[in-house]
Amino acid sequence: MELYATELLGAKTYDVQGNYVGRVRELFIEPAEAPNRVSHFLLSRGHFQPLVAKHNQVASAAAGKVELNVSERALELYRPNESWLAVQKDLLDQQIIDTRGRKVVRVNDLDLAEQRMNGNVELRLTQVDVGLPGAVRRLLQGVVPSKVVRKLQRQLPQSAIRWEFVNLIEPDPLRRLKLRITHEKLEDLHPADLADIMEELSASERQSIIASLDEETAAAVLGELDARLTTQIVEDLDPGKAADILEEMAPDAAADVLADLSKETSEELLDEMPGREADEVRELLEFDPGTAGGMMNPDFVFVGESSTREEVLEWMRGQDLNFDQLDTIVLLDGKAQYSGAVPVARLLLAAPEQLLGELKLEPLLSLPAEADDKEVFELFDKYNLRMLTVIDKDNRPIGAITVDDVVSRLLK
Amino acid sequence: MLNRSNITAQWAGWREKVGRVRAATRPFRRRIALFFAIVGPGLIVSNVDNDAGGIYTYAQSGAQFGNTVLWTLIPMTLVLYVSLEMCSRLGAFSGKGLSDLIREEFGFRVTFLLMAAVLVVNLGNVMAEFTGVFWATDIFGISRYVSVPLAAVLVWVLVVLGSAKWVERIFLAICVVYFAYVVSAFLAKPAWLIALLHLLPPHLTQFVPTIKPFVQVPAFNASYAVILAGLVGTTIAPWQHFYLQAAVVEKRVGPRQYAHTRNDVLVGSISCMVIVFFIIVCTAATLYVNGIHHIDNAGTAALALKPLAGVWASVLFAIGLLNASIFAASILPLSTAYVICEALGFESGIDRKFGEAKIFYSLYTTLIVLGAGLVLLLGQHAKTILLWSQVLNGFLLPVVLIFILMLVNRRDLMGDKVNSRGFNWVAWISTAAMILLTIVVGYTSLRELFH
């Protein structure tokens, strides 16, 4: 038998002798015991102190009526407990994350399934109703008879999320621990989807999610968020954690974040980061964000122009390379100056003994770090580039701009 | 001596200098950009308020009572600022819209009933805006069967097909047209010093001997009370609060950027009142002085200005009215659809496609079509539409203010940013005063309607 939380809230409760005890005011779940079992019923009795019925004290539960298998004296007085999840207060009308649909939704009602044990009945939360049927129940329950409501809702399209796919949002980290809320399911989402979800939430909720994600996921999500949100989040994070996340980000993305922060905050974070990463970011921060230097990533793959395809592939296998930067390989000549660029696709199709210098793209393109971002856009557009090398005064490559940097800059 | 190489050298030096200046001014430029990114919602929300219903009420009050209503502008600015500031604070510190907060704290049923009321009241407001379009174009001799549907299509296309950023920029630019009122007032050549003097309550200034001869004290009677209620009702509308808080959240104003937004709300409240001041002064100096005390509609106000201040005053008045009406008609249905969808959990936002947010777009379109359609059908009762939309606003406003006050005083939501005691006093007293005024205006307008 299906039951809805709305039908139970406000239900009259009778004890084993059939005496009226009170009305159900709240349902609690104790996630530490069982993740979806209704563990306690809060019974209010007007002026008297409210009582609590445990799950094994409930003989039957139906719309508007709950029967206990003990007498009223066996019930305990209610004491608030932080590690109980309150259905009405914490779930109904609140926002949750639908991890399968990858979006934020608001809870209209909860579906409960009955499970008969010996002598008592247990209610388990099966799914969260986010559609019209739940809305209709919330509006009409108690005003029109349950039967009519049930008949009416059957006409409406269902929209529910299974409890396994629900991720609760709890800004308070202590309570989150007590309620056993993890964000593991969120870590499986694509960072771009997670970023979209974060944009729907309030600042404290965003903060709590970022703080609980592992650094790698957090860095990927921050890279996808819009600049103002990223700034806000990083400013409010604990500096140590913020530095750990920035370290995981690509240096150009980290520099973009730091450039938007106040000078003191950004210095503080740079000091927390390991030396090499911090130096890379510091160098990038010297460039105006509106120039090629401000757009480039100092991590790129470079090899000598006289090496063969086979040598290069062998070398690359041995390195721990970042795939995002492996679209095009930069070539250096004998004087360690920029001599060209080879797309990996060309490398793929080349003969094993072919020299890289013979594979390079024509014409030879590069820009100095001070070049305006407009020049960058024009080159990418004109030559349909996927990557462009940035050089210094001595014609040495110092970074690379990839097409995704250009796209996100253009969309700003 | 100039040759090619030293030109190049100078050029390089100059470029370097520019680069240094650019780098040095970077933090400053970023602050300016931030200011312009955040400035806006408060300015928009208070200026959209000078809509058709507003212009009608302001013109009528100026014609009927001359300068003697001007003293209400300062307290009204205060109330407008206090109520809007609470909403922007709620948005900045909770990160949630007003309707979301009401849903989370007061449950589904309360929210649903409130949203139903918002829908009805705002439909009334949309109708009032299209009435404004009808009147303004009437001055140029264009039939309402042409102008109203055209305006409806324009508004729909502007919002649905344009991007959100673009639409907002157009609206901000259009705000400048409000100076039409200022120009119009100057052309009417009022006695400025006396008008300014009436910004202080004449009930008090009459006791200053040197000022007394210039002060006109209003007789407090029923029709004066109705005008006061009308002024408050049109200036502080419920939908503004929902709109402002949603915009604050949408623009990601957090605790750090909040000071900017508060300034924006302050500037918006004051600029709104400055424009009201000019409209009232303008009508007082022309209609009131010449014994024209009753305006049947805002169009009449414009026509009445014609012989007195020349051809231009009336044209400017009509342009101002048309702009105000279209501006408000673009924002109202949109904000209504937003608020309702957010509260009841439907997908919303103009950045979504139609298929993703069907209910949102349907609500938005229905409000425009129904609003414009009803104005076409009931065109001859335009004055009644305006009156009713104001009365409905007045009924809903205290309810919304009470919700806002309850939320903004919750420590678990706002932390130490709850209202200060003084702020609460101002807010609760103005709420009580508004309930009182609403009863007065409700009573009188119902009586007027059934006579």
Side-chain angles (χ1 to χ4, degrees), chain A residues 93 106 141 232 236 259, chain B residues 30 100 103 109 252 256:
Chain A
D93 296 318
R106 213 174 265 290
Q141 195 69 44
Q232 277 177 13
D236 289 341
Chain B
R30 195 164 287 133
D100 292 75
R103 167 86 190 263
R109 199 172 290 166
R252 318 236 179 271
R256 262 168 251 263

Side-chain angles (χ1 to χ4, degrees), chain A residues 92-95 103-104 106-108 130 132 135-143 199-206 226 228-229 232 235-236 259-261 285-290 370-372 412, chain B residues 15 19 22-23 26 29-30 33-34 37-38 92-96 99-101 103-109 111-113 165 249 251-257 342-348 352 359:
Chain A
L92 286 185
D93 296 318
Q94 307 302 314
Q95 287 184 316
K103 59 184 182 214
V104 180
R106 213 174 265 290
V107 179
N108 282 342
V130 295
L132 282 174
V136 166
R137 270 197 303 279
R138 291 295 299 288
L139 190 64
L140 299 179
Q141 195 69 44
V143 184
E199 288 184 359
E200 300 261 312
L201 301 176
S202 74
S204 59
E205 293 165 341
R206 276 197 287 272
D226 76 60
R228 185 167 310 149
L229 271 189
Q232 277 177 13
E235 275 173 342
D236 289 341
D260 285 334
L261 295 173
L285 277 173
E286 294 297 312
F287 297 108
D288 190 301
E370 314 80 66
D372 207 54
K412 247 179 221 168
Chain B
R15 266 189 75 143
R22 277 176 66 114
R26 199 181 306 154
R29 274 182 291 147
R30 195 164 287 133
L34 181 73
I38 294 175
F93 287 89
S94 71
K96 286 178 177 162
S99 51
D100 292 75
L101 279 180
R103 167 86 190 263
E104 285 178 13
E105 304 303 325
F106 300 97
F108 185 85
R109 199 172 290 166
T111 313
F112 183 85
L113 295 176
K165 229 183 223 170
V249 173
K251 287 188 178 272
R252 318 236 179 271
V253 174
R256 262 168 251 263
Q257 297 84 2
E342 293 270 292
L344 303 181
F346 302 120
E347 302 271 319
S348 62
R352 308 254 152 113
I359 295 184

Side-chain angles (χ1 to χ4, degrees), chain A residues 93-211:
Chain A
D93 296 318
Q94 307 302 314
Q95 287 184 316
I96 54 152
I97 298 170
D98 169 7
T99 52
R100 207 164 57 154
R102 304 189 302 271
K103 59 184 182 214
V104 180
V105 287
R106 213 174 265 290
V107 179
N108 282 342
D109 205 352
L110 298 156
D111 296 11
L112 304 166
E114 272 183 279
Q115 253 175 359
R116 298 221 156 267
M117 317 292 277
N118 36 353
N120 71 302
V121 65
E122 278 190 357
L123 296 175
R124 287 188 187 267
L125 218 160
T126 52
Q127 52 184 7
V128 167
D129 193 334
V130 295
L132 282 174
V136 166
R137 270 197 303 279
R138 291 295 299 288
L139 190 64
L140 299 179
Q141 195 69 44
V143 184
V144 283
S146 284
K147 273 186 195 160
V148 181
V149 178
R150 284 202 168 208
K151 204 171 273 175
L152 196 67
Q153 76 184 32
R154 237 169 265 140
Q155 320 282 323
L156 299 169
Q158 276 280 341
S159 171
I161 301 156
R162 297 253 302 279
W163 185 242
E164 304 90 275
F165 301 122
V166 168
N167 206 307
L168 299 179
I169 310 162
E170 171 59 56
D172 178 8
L174 271 177
R175 178 114 207 270
R176 198 166 60 228
L177 215 61
K178 284 182 182 161
L179 292 180
R180 309 268 162 120
I181 299 172
T182 64
H183 293 311
E184 278 162 22
K185 283 177 243 171
L186 297 184
E187 283 169 10
D188 296 337
L189 292 177
H190 190 280
D193 285 327
L194 193 47
D196 280 347
I197 287 174
M198 304 264 288
E199 288 184 359
E200 300 261 312
L201 301 176
S202 74
S204 59
E205 293 165 341
R206 276 197 287 272
Q207 215 63 39
S208 93
I209 288 181
I210 279 287

